[in-house]
Amino acid sequence: MGHGASRLRRIVREVAKFGAVGGVGVLVNLVAFNLVRHTTDLQVVRASVIATVVAIVFNYVGFRYFTYRDRDKSRRTREMTLFLLFSAIGLVIENGVLYAATYGFGWNTPLQNNVFKFLGIGIATLFRFWSYRSWVFRALPAPETPAPAPALQDDQAVPPKTKQQVP
């Protein structure tokens, strides 16, 4: 199996784990959004921002301890700072889509709110996947492979192994 195939397998596994955490995070986000929306008088985008923050906290725990648990943990402050920075950008992307639909186009029914909230989550997820794997949860350096053994000269040939006699 070549290096390319094993790299592809690692990426597929990473995308699957990211998707599992993200999928549950989307449910957390949408449930929190609808709960806040229907139990308070907050405007739609404010309710969405609260739900996004709840999902960000959930996702950090899932990404750190499931998706990227094998990644570098030596610089947690840097990791948290970058995670929050990129999450905030994702929050703006996600809620910007909802804001544009609601206030720019007047699409403000509960169904439309959920459709554009979901669309915003999808667009922001592409950004988050790239930024989290590139900047936040950095891969540990690959272990160094030992240097190949020097080639033997003909006069240094290793004798063939013989079976040991069993008494």
Side-chain angles (χ1 to χ4, degrees), residues 4 7 22 39 44 62 91 101 106 108 130 158 160-161:
R7 184 169 190 266
T39 60
V44 67
L91 180 144
N108 196 17
W130 169 81
V158 177
K161 290 186 179 181

Side-chain angles (χ1 to χ4, degrees), residues 145-156:
T145 56
L152 296 173
Q153 302 293 330
D154 284 339
D155 60 340
Q156 297 175 323

